[in-house]
Amino acid sequence: MNNFLDPPIYPRRHFCDAQDSIEELIRNIQAPDALIAMEVGSCMSIVTQPLYDIRLPTGQVRPLSMNWAVIADSGERKSAVHAIVAKPIYEFDQRMKEKYDVQIEHYKAELDFWKSVLSGLKQKLVKLTREDACVKDLKEQMSEHAKAKPAKPRQRRIMRKLTNERAMMEALEGCGESIGFVSDEGQVLVKGGALERVGINNSLWDGAELVMDRSDGVQLHVKDPRMSISFMIQRLVFKQFLGKRGDELRGSGNWARYLIGDPRTTKGTRFISTVNPPYVHLSKFQFRMGELLEEYERRIELGKIERDILEFSEDAIRRWIEMSNEIEYMLRPSQYLHDIDDFASKVLEITSRLAGVMHVFSSQEGKISVDTLQRAFDIVGWHIDEFKRLFSPELAVSEVVINAMKVEDYLYRKVWQANYTYVLQNYAFNFGPIRTKAKFQPALDCLESLGRIQIGVGPRGERYINLHHGYFQAKQFPVLDNF
């Protein structure tokens, strides 16, 4: 379970071959560790979902699509992380656009020629009709000509942002199409309404078949679609959105399909040692993304998108069953998951999807191993704590705890990192983050009760905040973990 004053480091080392890239990004960009790792996981799922599905031990075949949501305020370097990690996907989209531009010009020329021939056939039909001549052969010609009408090329783009329901259906129309709603500013998705189509989003996460009737009488038919959602959203926007739609999203099981994270800020710890830090491992990660996207492109060109089905090894199946029983036990009224049973019901499937994504991305052969499954479960376990912390009424974070977090950050950055082990209480009050006595004292009491500080009294009655040496010496912010 998470400690609210000291959230644990994200289990990014469980990401198989992607872990070195994650560590490198954390060192170079110095954004919150969970923000970076979740962006990496999101891109991994987006490039694998068009190519693979996974068979659960229950026999169900499920998509590798995944939903991710990061709560992060301005200045957390969300855009920088997204731009560098998702770069191969945007390059794929640009390449597909260039292909489409060529194809559409060819299509227009072919269509003009086809229309000219059709016009000639119609003129012949008028002439024969006037002459009372037989038009049987001409009708056959016109029928064959209708079949030869050029097909309009499809414009494919994985990355989507602003859209409405019809545009979503049009993007996925056909069989086996794959897209991602991705934004480093979640407000775009919120305002665009992409997150409000709860029923459709749930169905698309499941890979379900959908049909929409258009006003012109034509149906939009979506079969075997794949869609992942990933967004980073500011805390205030997220709170407002939950205030309006939170009950519906939770009640419908929509939030249960997300891996949500609210990582601790790295502001105030992002010290620069070089202006152009080197990237060694990231290029390998991006190369692998490119390989999977090229395979997707190859299958598109074949005219039929088919997916391979991943399966678990016997050891992994046994561990999967153990996990299932562990989760079931924790749903009891006195156990950890009883108040977030909606998310708990999806934990094993999300874990299985993530295991499949990591198996493919790290080029593992054969069936998914128990090691990969356990790695995925450890990552999802961090999100279980986050979901409970964010949505469980039993663990709502009080204002005292929030203020204590702010005071602790101040003591760490301004006192401990300045090589001091104590500070006058009045000084911390006058220059620290909490300057209301009615809020400052309870925050100190909270920290003292946890053994992180001790309040001492000087010879003239002045009060000192003494920092616990062992705690602050061992304390590491995520970004400083490998600094």
Side-chain angles (χ1 to χ4, degrees):
M1 175 181 169
N2 276 350
N3 184 320
F4 292 114
L5 290 180
D6 193 20
I9 293 173
Y10 194 85
R12 69 242 190 186
R13 292 184 178 89
H14 294 287
F15 270 88
C16 297
D17 285 2
Q19 61 179 307
D20 291 335
S21 299
I22 294 173
E23 298 296 340
E24 189 171 67
L25 287 162
I26 291 172
R27 287 194 300 270
N28 291 351
I29 301 180
Q30 301 188 65
D33 61 343
L35 187 154
I36 289 174
M38 291 172 69
E39 176 69 21
V40 167
S42 165
C43 289
M44 288 169 60
S45 61
I46 286 173
V47 299
T48 52
Q49 70 177 15
L51 304 174
Y52 294 88
D53 290 332
I54 186 163
R55 191 188 308 279
L56 304 182
T58 57
Q60 293 175 294
V61 176
R62 308 298 287 158
L64 293 187
S65 306
M66 298 187 68
N67 294 345
W68 308 74
V70 182
I71 303 168
D73 287 329
S74 296
E76 296 293 359
R77 302 180 175 175
K78 302 187 292 292
S79 297
V81 172
H82 176 65
I84 193 169
V85 176
K87 182 181 177 182
I89 305 178
Y90 285 108
E91 290 176 342
F92 171 86
D93 282 348
Q94 179 59 31
R95 190 164 66 248
M96 296 302 287
K97 179 183 180 302
E98 292 170 357
K99 280 190 173 183
Y100 173 78
D101 289 342
V102 173
Q103 292 169 348
I104 197 67
E105 289 303 317
H106 178 73
Y107 162 76
K108 288 177 180 178
E110 289 290 312
L111 184 62
D112 285 344
F113 178 77
W114 182 88
K115 287 179 178 179
S116 297
V117 174
L118 178 61
S119 178
L121 291 173
K122 287 181 177 179
Q123 289 176 11
K124 287 184 180 180
L125 179 62
V126 171
K127 182 180 179 182
L128 290 175
T129 303
R130 286 174 179 172
E131 295 174 353
D132 236 1
C134 180
V135 296
K136 181 180 178 181
D137 291 342
L138 185 58
K139 285 176 65 177
E140 290 179 359
Q141 289 182 47
M142 293 184 73
S143 177
E144 290 299 316
H145 183 70
K147 296 176 184 177
K149 184 177 181 179
K152 186 177 182 179
R154 185 188 190 106
Q155 185 173 10
R156 283 185 171 87
R157 187 173 79 254
I158 292 177
M159 292 297 203
R160 308 277 173 160
K161 290 188 180 180
L162 281 172
T163 189
N164 53 36
E165 187 174 325
R166 176 170 171 176
M168 181 188 294
M169 293 289 289
E170 288 176 345
L172 290 166
E173 185 182 13
C175 183
E177 295 297 323
S178 178
I179 61 174
F181 280 107
V182 182
S183 178
D184 54 342
E185 291 295 344
Q187 190 172 3
V188 174
L189 293 183
V190 171
K191 287 188 174 181
L195 301 182
E196 297 184 3
R197 287 175 288 278
V198 175
I200 289 182
N201 289 348
N202 286 353
S203 296
L204 290 174
W205 189 82
D206 293 333
E209 187 171 345
L210 296 172
V211 177
M212 173 185 279
D213 292 319
R214 298 196 309 192
S215 58
D216 57 5
V218 177
Q219 284 188 333
L220 290 175
H221 191 183
V222 173
K223 186 177 180 182
D224 207 22
R226 296 295 178 264
M227 184 182 79
S228 289
I229 299 176
S230 175
F231 63 91
M232 306 178 195
I233 191 168
Q234 294 181 12
R235 187 165 282 100
L236 179 59
V237 177
F238 183 69
K239 185 177 180 180
Q240 292 172 342
F241 181 60
L242 286 185
K244 295 178 180 178
R245 305 298 299 273
D247 290 343
E248 180 185 354
L249 291 167
R250 186 81 191 274
S252 66
N254 187 253
W255 277 138
R257 291 168 165 82
Y258 279 83
L259 291 180
I260 296 178
D262 183 11
R264 193 170 191 167
T265 182
T266 58
K267 294 176 184 177
T269 67
R270 303 175 300 195
F271 305 109
I272 297 175
S273 58
T274 178
V275 292
N276 292 306
Y279 284 96
V280 177
H281 301 288
L282 181 63
S283 59
K284 300 175 184 176
F285 174 81
Q286 292 178 330
F287 179 78
R288 180 57 179 154
M289 287 180 68
E291 283 186 329
L292 293 168
L293 289 167
E294 285 176 7
E295 174 60 20
Y296 178 41
E297 186 176 354
R298 187 187 71 81
R299 296 188 189 188
I300 289 173
E301 291 176 351
L302 289 175
K304 188 176 182 180
I305 303 171
E306 294 183 344
R307 301 185 187 93
D308 302 324
I309 297 177
L310 304 170
E311 295 185 342
F312 288 104
S313 67
E314 291 300 319
D315 288 345
I317 291 174
R318 283 192 289 271
R319 179 61 186 133
W320 193 94
I321 293 172
E322 290 174 358
M323 290 175 179
S324 177
N325 292 332
E326 290 168 7
I327 291 169
E328 185 64 28
Y329 178 82
M330 287 193 288
L331 292 175
R332 295 181 177 186
S334 61
Q335 298 300 317
Y336 188 57
L337 299 178
H338 82 278
D339 56 338
I340 55 167
D341 56 348
D342 52 339
F343 182 62
S345 69
K346 299 295 182 185
V347 161
L348 263 185
E349 180 169 341
I350 294 173
T351 298
S352 301
R353 293 184 184 211
L354 182 57
V357 167
M358 293 195 298
H359 176 88
V360 171
F361 204 88
S362 53
S363 303
Q364 298 178 38
E365 296 183 356
K367 297 183 178 181
I368 299 171
S369 69
V370 65
D371 176 69
T372 301
L373 176 63
Q374 186 62 53
R375 285 171 177 265
F377 189 66
D378 290 340
I379 292 169
V380 174
W382 187 93
H383 291 280
I384 293 175
D385 288 339
E386 283 293 273
F387 195 95
K388 191 173 179 75
R389 184 166 70 92
L390 291 168
F391 296 116
S392 170
E394 295 181 3
L395 293 180
V397 183
S398 68
E399 185 181 18
V400 172
V401 172
I402 293 171
N403 290 336
M405 292 173 66
K406 293 178 180 178
V407 173
E408 183 186 316
D409 282 341
Y410 169 80
L411 295 175
Y412 179 76
R413 292 185 289 105
K414 298 298 184 181
V415 180
W416 182 263
Q417 288 193 326
N419 295 320
Y420 291 98
T421 58
Y422 65 90
V423 64
L424 275 169
Q425 182 172 314
N426 280 341
Y427 184 91
F429 173 70
N430 291 326
F431 297 99
I434 308 299
R435 299 181 185 180
T436 304
K437 286 187 178 181
K439 296 181 179 181
F440 182 65
Q441 189 58 51
L444 291 183
D445 293 342
C446 179
L447 292 175
E448 190 170 27
S449 70
L450 291 169
R452 300 183 180 184
I453 64 170
Q454 183 180 17
I455 303 299
V457 182
R460 293 188 295 275
E462 68 275 21
R463 295 171 68 84
Y464 288 89
I465 302 173
N466 298 296
L467 279 60
H468 188 282
H469 187 272
Y471 173 74
F472 280 90
Q473 185 178 46
K475 184 176 178 62
Q476 290 183 331
F477 281 30
V479 72
L480 298 180
D481 173 53
N482 286 292
F483 190 75

